[in-house]
Amino acid sequence: MVAAANAGPQPIPYKTLTEENLASAIKSCLTPKSREAAIAISRKMKAETGVKTAVQSFYGNLPVDAMCCDILPNEAAVWVYQWKKTMLRLSDTAAFVLMDQQKIWAKNLRRYQSKRIHIDNIRWDPISAGSAVLLDTFISFTSGFAEVFTGPVRAFARQGKSTHSRGTNAATSVRKGIGKMIGALPKATLVDMPLALTEGFHQMPRLYGEAVRDNGRVTDWRSGGAVAGKTFAVGIYDGLLGFVVKPYQGAKQGGLTGFSEGLAKGTAGLVTGSGAGTYIFAFDRPFAKTSHDVFGAKEDRTDNPRPRNVRPHGLPIAWNV
């Protein structure tokens, strides 16, 4: 951009940087022509309204139609009501009125998201993925172990409560700590470690510059089965195809050295794509999601809160979170 505006030299690649071309580039920046161009750029930048333009762009790209309540268009949709083939986007006020008149029921309401954002923890290889799971399991286990001893101490140290209440809180802390310790190992064995290793195998081609297919997102056991089948079939296809094509492409581009590199990539792709990695990945995903629903039910509850009751005096809905 600077060079195109004649305000400076062309960029110098790092590998070709020398004392001579660096000195020449600095001298070119001091010429009257470069100074005049830099002043012109400065004037244009001062005339721009960057913040105003950014705000206009933000509001201009909002999906307003998808964010409004279907009954009260002037209010933002907070809940989505689904019953049979009916689906309505509802604001807090609309949901309050309809529930108060017993036209809808709380069990059919879910929190509405006009554009849901998913953040996936991408694994890079089986070793780092497995190490992360071991570390997380160790932290969970030790925190539960610490809770068994520190929980009762904190409970009995609180002032202003009866002995019975403090004893109940101490027992609850011990129960939670033991539960965390007991749950950490089977969760790591049945869910976290298999899933981490298989996703690590799936992502391994990234390490040597190959693209990795996105076979879809797993949200329940049905989508898990679909992703498993697709991953297994595509993995076999890509693995066998790469084992044949990669050495040929490498030999065509780099001779014997390229053939060796292509053979190594093809073999690695065959192992991670159609071998053990894909097999475990394909058959572990549905089970892992089902097990996650069991072990992580408490944690996932906040992802889809439901209305619990109706408050009077204009405070429509209390979230069950």
Side-chain angles (χ1 to χ4, degrees):
M1 182 182 295
V2 174
N6 296 320
Q10 291 289 339
I12 303 174
Y14 173 76
K15 293 183 178 179
T16 61
L17 182 63
T18 62
E19 295 179 358
E20 291 76 14
N21 57 24
L22 177 60
S24 176
I26 294 174
K27 289 179 180 178
S28 67
C29 293
L30 302 178
T31 61
K33 183 178 180 181
S34 296
R35 291 181 179 180
E36 293 176 0
I39 293 173
I41 293 175
S42 176
R43 290 171 180 170
K44 290 181 180 180
M45 292 176 65
K46 290 180 180 179
E48 292 177 352
T49 55
V51 175
K52 183 179 179 180
T53 304
V55 172
Q56 290 176 346
S57 175
F58 175 79
Y59 282 102
N61 288 281
L62 282 177
V64 179
D65 294 337
M67 297 171 63
C68 297
C69 173
D70 290 329
I71 297 178
L72 301 175
N74 293 329
E75 296 189 7
V78 179
W79 306 97
V80 57
Y81 172 75
Q82 288 183 312
W83 185 71
K84 294 184 178 180
K85 295 183 179 180
T86 302
M87 188 181 76
L88 291 173
R89 298 188 300 265
L90 301 174
S91 65
D92 256 351
T93 304
F96 163 67
V97 174
L98 292 174
M99 290 175 61
D100 187 55
Q101 298 296 320
Q102 296 185 355
K103 300 297 183 182
I104 63 174
W105 305 99
K107 65 180 181 179
N108 299 120
L109 286 175
R110 296 289 187 276
R111 186 179 63 181
Y112 176 65
Q113 293 176 304
S114 58
K115 187 175 181 180
R116 190 167 184 176
I117 299 176
H118 300 285
I119 301 177
D120 292 324
N121 183 19
I122 299 178
R123 310 288 187 175
W124 290 99
D125 59 81
I127 297 176
S128 62
S131 300
V133 171
L134 290 176
L135 179 61
D136 183 66
T137 304
F138 176 76
I139 293 174
S140 298
F141 187 87
T142 52
S143 63
F145 183 79
E147 182 70 18
V148 173
F149 297 96
T150 60
V153 174
R154 290 197 303 267
F156 283 105
R158 293 175 181 173
Q159 302 295 328
K161 290 189 177 183
S162 64
T163 304
H164 179 269
S165 177
R166 286 183 287 181
T168 302
N169 293 337
T172 302
S173 299
V174 173
R175 177 177 57 82
K176 289 182 178 180
I178 294 175
K180 186 180 291 186
M181 292 169 58
I182 295 175
L185 296 179
K187 182 174 181 291
T189 305
L190 299 176
V191 182
D192 294 341
M193 183 61 76
L195 192 57
L197 291 177
T198 51
E199 289 182 347
F201 276 114
H202 180 67
Q203 298 292 339
M204 269 191 68
R206 292 179 184 270
L207 298 178
Y208 45 87
E210 297 294 324
V212 176
R213 289 178 183 266
D214 182 8
N215 294 322
R217 182 177 179 83
V218 178
T219 57
D220 51 30
W221 66 270
R222 291 187 181 89
S223 60
V227 171
K230 182 179 179 181
T231 303
F232 185 68
V234 172
I236 291 177
Y237 174 79
D238 288 345
L240 294 176
L241 183 65
F243 186 73
V244 176
V245 173
K246 293 296 181 183
Y248 171 76
Q249 292 177 342
K252 189 175 180 180
Q253 295 177 0
L256 182 61
T257 303
F259 174 81
S260 301
E261 293 179 357
L263 182 62
K265 290 182 179 180
T267 304
L270 182 64
V271 173
T272 60
S274 61
T278 300
Y279 177 82
I280 301 175
F281 182 85
F283 289 98
D284 182 66
R285 288 301 286 269
F287 171 74
K289 176 59 185 174
T290 304
S291 301
H292 174 75
D293 292 338
V294 175
F295 288 107
K298 182 177 180 181
E299 288 77 5
D300 290 344
R301 188 177 57 184
T302 58
D303 191 54
N304 261 318
R306 297 184 182 181
R308 181 176 56 193
N309 56 7
V310 178
R311 293 184 179 181
H313 309 300
L315 298 177
I317 296 175
W319 284 10
N320 184 20
V321 295

